[in-house]
Amino acid sequence: MNILNPGNIDIKRFKLIHKNGEVDLVGFVTRIDIYESVIAPCIHADMFVYDGAGLLERVDLAGSDVDIEYCTYEGVENSLFKFKIDSVTDVKVGSSSSYKTYTVRMSSPELFEGAAQTITEIFKEKHPEDVISVILQNGLKTKKKFVFEKTLGMDTVNVTKLKPFQAIDKIRRRSVSRNNKSSSYCFFENRFGYTFSTIENLIAEGKKDPT
């Protein structure tokens, strides 16, 4: 696991993409907190904005996209985050009324794509990781990398009127590991893509590559 400390990254791209064009956010954002968790299927982020140019009034932020590309000074390859804005909160007007500060809440685009889709399908005699792969490609329309720990045996899963992430969670709870006893699978997203793995496997992989 690579730990990124404040100041050791170089921002290559920080863009707001809205229906009428693009805005470079480098001069607006004072801080961004990005949240990855093994119990969350998507990445979430809070972006703290100092707006002295009336961006909030000029652009409909909700539903717009934010691209963040960065590299570290340690030579790690470039990473790219893509977010879609969910809401703007904590709006405060500066003492001179010449600026506003606010928080922009964002999530991975797949969360919004999944909210608009419903899956009804019988997946016959398939490995759980294969079913999840189909849902990622067809239900969420994502091209992000998918890494998985192999499961034991094939199964038939009846998915009825479930959102893509609900269907994935149903499959996750039914999955049995080929190599680990507890079969405590988790499905999550990080900056490398999506992962379907047991906690035991994640711990073992972390011990092999502690960096």
Side-chain angles (χ1 to χ4, degrees):
M1 180 185 297
N2 294 306
I3 304 299
L4 301 181
N5 296 311
N8 75 342
I9 65 171
D10 181 21
I11 301 294
K12 300 294 186 182
R13 173 179 167 86
F14 203 157
K15 293 286 187 180
L16 168 70
I17 300 98
H18 57 93
K19 60 183 179 181
N20 295 319
E22 295 186 357
V23 177
D24 189 339
L25 290 173
V26 171
F28 290 91
V29 178
T30 60
R31 191 179 95 210
I32 181 167
D33 296 337
I34 298 175
Y35 308 102
E36 299 176 351
S37 171
V38 296
I39 61 173
C42 283
I43 299 174
H44 301 279
D46 289 338
M47 185 168 66
F48 301 87
V49 178
Y50 180 98
D51 182 1
L55 182 63
L56 189 60
E57 288 74 29
R58 293 188 291 111
V59 177
D60 185 7
L61 294 179
S64 296
D65 298 315
V66 174
D67 286 359
I68 308 168
E69 183 179 4
Y70 71 89
C71 67
T72 69
Y73 293 117
E74 285 77 11
V76 178
E77 65 182 29
N78 284 16
S79 293
L80 175 64
F81 285 107
K82 287 183 174 289
F83 293 108
K84 189 171 285 291
I85 295 175
D86 177 44
S87 62
V88 177
T89 64
D90 302 324
V91 180
K92 297 177 181 177
V93 180
S95 56
S96 63
S97 299
S98 61
Y99 69 91
K100 290 181 179 179
T101 61
Y102 46 87
T103 303
V104 177
R105 302 197 183 281
M106 311 181 294
S107 300
S108 299
E110 288 82 2
L111 185 64
F112 299 86
E113 179 69 32
Q117 306 294 331
T118 301
I119 298 175
T120 297
E121 187 171 346
I122 298 175
F123 298 92
K124 293 184 178 180
E125 294 300 313
K126 289 183 177 294
H127 291 287
E129 57 268 32
D130 295 331
V131 179
I132 292 175
S133 181
V134 169
I135 294 173
L136 288 173
Q137 294 177 40
N138 299 339
L140 293 171
K141 307 294 191 297
T142 184
K143 296 181 180 179
K144 291 177 180 176
K145 185 177 180 181
F146 176 45
V147 176
F148 57 86
E149 176 188 348
K150 290 184 177 179
T151 56
L152 180 66
M154 293 188 290
D155 192 11
T156 295
V157 182
N158 186 358
V159 175
T160 305
K161 295 182 180 180
L162 293 180
K163 302 297 184 184
F165 285 121
Q166 291 176 328
I168 289 173
D169 190 61
K170 177 178 180 177
I171 295 161
R172 176 191 67 80
R173 288 184 277 108
R174 295 165 60 101
S175 299
V176 176
S177 173
R178 184 179 298 184
N179 300 313
N180 292 293
K181 292 182 179 180
S182 78
S183 295
S184 180
Y185 268 90
C186 52
F187 173 84
F188 62 92
E189 182 191 7
N190 59 23
R191 68 183 185 275
F192 303 112
Y194 287 100
T195 297
F196 177 59
S197 173
T198 60
I199 296 295
E200 292 93 330
N201 185 62
L202 292 174
I203 293 172
E205 292 297 320
K207 289 179 179 178
K208 292 179 185 177
D209 183 14
T211 61

